[in-house]
Amino acid sequence: MSSSIASSSSSSSSSSKKEKKISLKTSDGEVFEVEEPVAMQLEIVRSFFADNEDVTEQTVMPLPNVSTAAMHGILEYCRAHEEFRRRMPEAAPEEEVRAFEAGYVDRKSNEELKEMILAANYLNISKLLDFLTGVAAKRIENKSVEYVRAFFGVENDFTPEEEANLRREYEWAFEGVDED
Amino acid sequence: MNPGCRKKRKINICNDRREWCDLPEDLLVIISNHLNLADVLTFGRVCRNWRLFFSASKQKVLTSQPPLVFHIPSRASKSCYFYDMSSGIRYVTKLADFSDKSILGVSNGYLILERVFLYNSDIWAVNPVTGHQLKFPGMPQPNTTKYDRDNPYFKCRRVRAIFASFGCRQDFLVMILSKLHKNVRFCTSRDYKWKVYSFTGKTWDILDIALYKGMIFAITSELQIGLLKLGHPDLKLLNLECTPNICINVRFVASDDKLLVINFSSLRVNGVVQVYWINFEGWEWVKVNNLDDEALFLGDMMTSRLIKTSNWGGCRNCVYDLQFMSNTCYVYSLNGPMRRSVPTTIKGGVSPRKINCWYFLHQAYNINNVKEVILAET
């Protein structure tokens, strides 16, 4: 194992080059040592290190809005994309990316997906955010208002009169028709 | 909702617990960009915050939707279908009480329907997306004849209908050009009285009418363009230079900032696109060879429109021609041969007896105005 400048601990650095690591602390106190190019996909991290000259490599950046579970999911995605980029800097291998993304979201429950959308929004990773919101949209396609409320865990806060008005609109519902 | 629950939500915000109901607006924008239109409408019914967001961003969301193919039942059916050619998504909307009415046209997002009695007819304007409807009773000389049931295309060729709003109290105007009766009849929701501009006895016929920049324009069989004044109904012909020498099967196509005339015969018979722009600054006809980032959607029942394509990824500088009962939309390049044909129905979808035309969603909630002065002017 090559000695790294940063106080990196666990992850193996198979490359001979010293890999710079950045420490990120999630809301529940866990510290992640993240390879620099991966961490820099998180726009909030990139600008934190770009804007603050007094931060050092030892600085642990707190991310109070991101849970450990969401962080695991996000890093998995960002690492995979960094790997694609490293292997094929010119053009990403589209087939492979699609296959990875499909398998990646299949394993995510609605709860995990929502958590990660909020985290990706906070961390400002536009590519991941765009991808995850697309997945969420697919999961609520052609579903009822009640289903969408339950999906997002949103409470119905309309008054009975408003509800009645909405129901009237609903009678005219402009609906998507499932192809079958 | 009782006050207790509302309070709870407040506390949650203070505790920095993230609530989906209070999603940041930019996140809602990103999600709604992935949704099809029916789902966007569902989104607007989830909770108050989302409703507010939907009301505010509705117009933007709708403008980014491609024009839909509108399948209208010719009669005796309550469902209208919309088909999005770019995604293959189909939408349905139920029209109450449709069975005894027949269709005259589609204008500004409203279906214009006629219910015929012996000597007159009631005209209905129905918005298939919002459900809003209005009745204009007692129009003399019905437009629909008993022969139209078997071939609605004849009616569609001799009747042109416009629906528009005016004034600050959101009054409405319905106007019907009948080539059979040689007149233009119109009625407003202010007095529900039908007025008539007749062109019987003139050397020309009116071929088409269009609403453009709050005014009603008419084009005659001598290719004169005129302004319809409604106060004391009259057609004021304009002196335009460079009138082309084209056949008289022409139609208006309007957008927010252009009024175009298209030669229908040359397109549908020979596949040649001939489009002219009416230049109201130079008072002349100008041949158009390039539509830049716009495309011309040509449809029957008054559903032709010039549309920006960049918002939804359509072909720019093209003509999308959708014929009355055809199951195919033909796409022409403005300076070249036909580019391709796109099916407008999905398998097992719609019976061939349905009428096809375009439907522009951004018009569903935001209908164009007629300037009040046109109605009052003498």
Side-chain angles (χ1 to χ4, degrees):
Chain A
M1 213 181 231
S2 60
S3 69
S4 69
I5 303 172
S7 59
S8 132
S9 52
S10 59
S11 79
S12 69
S13 36
S14 51
S15 63
S16 57
K17 256 177 40 192
K18 296 163 195 165
E19 205 166 23
K20 205 169 133 189
K21 300 258 179 170
I22 283 172
S23 304
L24 303 173
K25 189 172 158 189
T26 55
S27 60
D28 27 9
E30 192 163 330
V31 177
F32 285 73
E33 307 274 340
V34 183
E35 311 79 58
E36 190 186 22
V38 174
M40 288 307 149
Q41 289 184 46
L42 283 52
E43 179 57 30
I44 196 174
V45 175
R46 202 198 58 77
S47 55
F48 177 79
F49 281 89
D51 298 345
N52 295 305
E53 284 166 0
D54 52 339
V55 294
T56 67
E57 277 141 13
Q58 277 75 39
T59 306
V60 177
M61 181 181 175
L63 298 171
N65 287 335
V66 184
S67 70
T68 298
M71 196 60 169
H72 276 297
I74 281 167
L75 289 180
E76 183 191 349
Y77 181 91
C78 291
R79 284 196 173 115
H81 272 269
E82 174 58 21
E83 180 66 21
F84 289 134
R85 196 192 59 80
R86 211 175 43 76
R87 271 188 17 232
M88 301 180 74
E90 300 299 316
E94 271 184 45
E95 289 278 302
E96 251 182 278
V97 172
R98 260 203 299 277
F100 160 75
E101 290 187 336
Y104 175 78
V105 291
D106 265 0
R107 286 178 271 122
K108 301 271 177 285
S109 69
N110 288 346
E111 280 309 309
E112 289 169 318
L113 183 66
K114 277 154 48 183
E115 179 109 31
M116 285 183 54
I117 289 177
L118 290 171
N121 185 47
Y122 169 74
L123 298 170
N124 200 352
I125 319 168
S126 56
K127 195 174 178 177
L128 176 60
L129 185 59
D130 197 56
F131 168 64
L132 292 176
T133 48
V135 173
K138 204 81 205 148
R139 289 192 187 176
I140 57 168
E141 199 171 43
N142 280 346
K143 296 292 194 293
S144 67
V145 182
E146 291 72 26
Y147 184 94
V148 176
R149 274 191 199 124
F151 181 91
F152 289 106
V154 174
E155 244 178 82
N156 177 9
D157 59 355
F158 289 112
T159 64
E161 297 85 67
E162 288 169 326
E163 278 269 62
N165 281 336
L166 288 171
R167 246 198 312 281
R168 251 202 301 285
E169 262 178 54
Y170 186 69
E171 283 170 24
W172 285 93
F174 184 81
E175 294 172 75
V177 183
D178 276 320
E179 284 181 62
D180 44 20
Chain B
M1 186 105 287
N2 65 54
C5 286
R6 305 209 63 187
K7 203 168 164 193
K8 201 168 88 200
R9 248 183 60 215
K10 272 264 156 50
I11 293 167
N12 282 341
I13 299 165
C14 295
N15 289 349
D16 201 31
R17 228 197 82 191
R18 288 153 296 168
E19 285 278 325
W20 279 81
C21 187
D22 303 309
L23 268 191
E25 202 161 283
D26 43 350
L27 204 42
L28 276 178
V29 173
I30 297 169
I31 296 176
S32 63
N33 282 344
H34 290 285
L35 295 174
N36 72 45
L37 183 73
D39 294 326
V40 172
L41 297 178
T42 304
F43 243 56
R45 305 212 320 265
V46 164
C47 66
R48 284 192 169 172
N49 273 1
W50 292 18
R51 178 122 200 114
L52 284 177
F53 162 77
F54 173 72
S55 306
S57 61
K58 192 162 55 188
Q59 209 49 35
K60 215 174 116 203
V61 172
L62 294 175
T63 316
S64 67
Q65 299 282 330
L68 300 176
V69 176
F70 191 10
H71 302 296
I72 309 164
S74 40
R75 65 195 164 105
S77 167
K78 286 186 170 184
S79 296
C80 290
Y81 289 92
F82 300 85
Y83 180 65
D84 178 344
M85 289 193 304
S86 61
S87 65
I89 294 172
R90 194 156 61 116
Y91 305 103
V92 65
T93 178
K94 289 173 196 69
L95 291 172
D97 222 10
F98 189 90
S99 51
D100 55 350
K101 304 182 186 80
S102 67
I103 173 111
L104 295 181
V106 180
S107 175
N108 267 317
Y110 281 71
L111 277 160
I112 300 171
L113 304 168
E114 178 174 51
R115 185 174 177 206
V116 179
F117 302 101
L118 198 50
Y119 298 111
N120 62 15
S121 61
D122 289 346
I123 301 295
W124 296 76
V126 179
N127 188 319
V129 175
T130 64
H132 177 229
Q133 56 175 298
L134 260 143
K135 181 183 172 189
F136 297 89
M139 183 175 77
Q141 301 175 320
N143 296 286
T144 311
T145 68
K146 60 182 176 183
Y147 304 108
D148 293 329
R149 292 206 156 175
D150 301 319
N151 196 342
Y153 188 60
F154 288 137
K155 183 176 63 188
C156 142
R157 290 195 57 169
R158 51 162 216 266
V159 178
R160 314 287 283 157
I162 287 177
F163 181 75
S165 69
F166 66 94
C168 45
R169 280 195 304 126
Q170 266 265 306
D171 285 303
F172 295 94
L173 165 84
V174 68
M175 173 177 284
I176 291 157
L177 160 67
S178 166
K179 295 176 199 173
L180 181 72
H181 302 306
K182 287 185 179 287
N183 62 20
V184 178
R185 284 158 292 168
F186 58 94
C187 182
T188 73
S189 60
R190 269 201 193 151
D191 55 10
Y192 291 104
K193 289 196 175 99
W194 287 93
K195 291 186 180 176
V196 185
Y197 169 71
S198 168
F199 49 92
T200 317
K202 303 277 188 195
T203 53
W204 38 258
D205 285 337
I206 293 182
L207 301 176
D208 199 6
I209 50 177
L211 172 66
Y212 171 68
K213 287 208 189 277
M215 291 173 279
I216 310 274
F217 288 88
I219 184 163
T220 72
S221 52
E222 293 174 356
L223 293 188
Q224 296 161 295
I225 290 178
L227 194 55
L228 259 177
K229 309 241 178 152
L230 309 184
H232 295 283
D234 192 20
L235 182 67
K236 187 187 166 223
L237 294 173
L238 309 172
N239 284 319
L240 296 172
E241 305 282 331
C242 311
T243 305
N245 185 16
I246 49 177
C247 85
I248 57 165
N249 189 3
V250 293
R251 291 206 192 153
F252 278 132
V253 180
S255 71
D256 290 341
D257 57 0
K258 281 191 201 84
L259 183 64
L260 304 177
V261 175
I262 178 151
N263 183 345
F264 243 56
S265 292
S266 79
L267 181 75
R268 289 200 169 167
V269 178
N270 306 318
V272 177
V273 184
Q274 275 187 350
V275 184
Y276 297 86
W277 167 53
I278 307 304
N279 174 4
F280 287 106
E281 274 165 19
W283 296 100
E284 58 180 358
W285 292 61
V286 181
K287 181 116 189 343
V288 177
N289 297 311
N290 191 348
L291 296 169
D292 295 319
D293 62 340
E294 293 181 305
L296 250 176
F297 280 78
L298 285 189
D300 291 299
M301 321 290 292
M302 300 285 282
T303 60
S304 299
R305 188 113 188 122
L306 189 62
I307 291 283
K308 273 207 172 25
T309 56
S310 49
N311 296 333
W312 50 273
C315 287
R316 60 206 290 276
N317 196 27
C318 271
V319 176
Y320 286 74
D321 185 25
L322 176 63
Q323 299 193 21
F324 202 62
M325 283 197 170
S326 164
N327 289 331
T328 311
C329 167
Y330 296 98
V331 186
Y332 300 86
S333 166
L334 214 61
N335 27 29
M338 191 180 86
R339 293 179 59 159
R340 64 199 167 97
S341 57
V342 189
T344 60
T345 47
I346 46 180
K347 58 178 163 51
V350 179
S351 82
R353 284 206 63 79
K354 299 217 169 157
I355 299 163
N356 291 332
C357 61
W358 295 110
Y359 192 83
F360 305 102
L361 281 163
H362 64 279
Q363 296 185 327
Y365 290 89
N366 187 22
I367 84 167
N368 282 323
N369 268 294
V370 172
K371 281 182 189 156
E372 189 117 12
V373 59
I374 296 290
L375 292 157
E377 223 169 4
T378 51

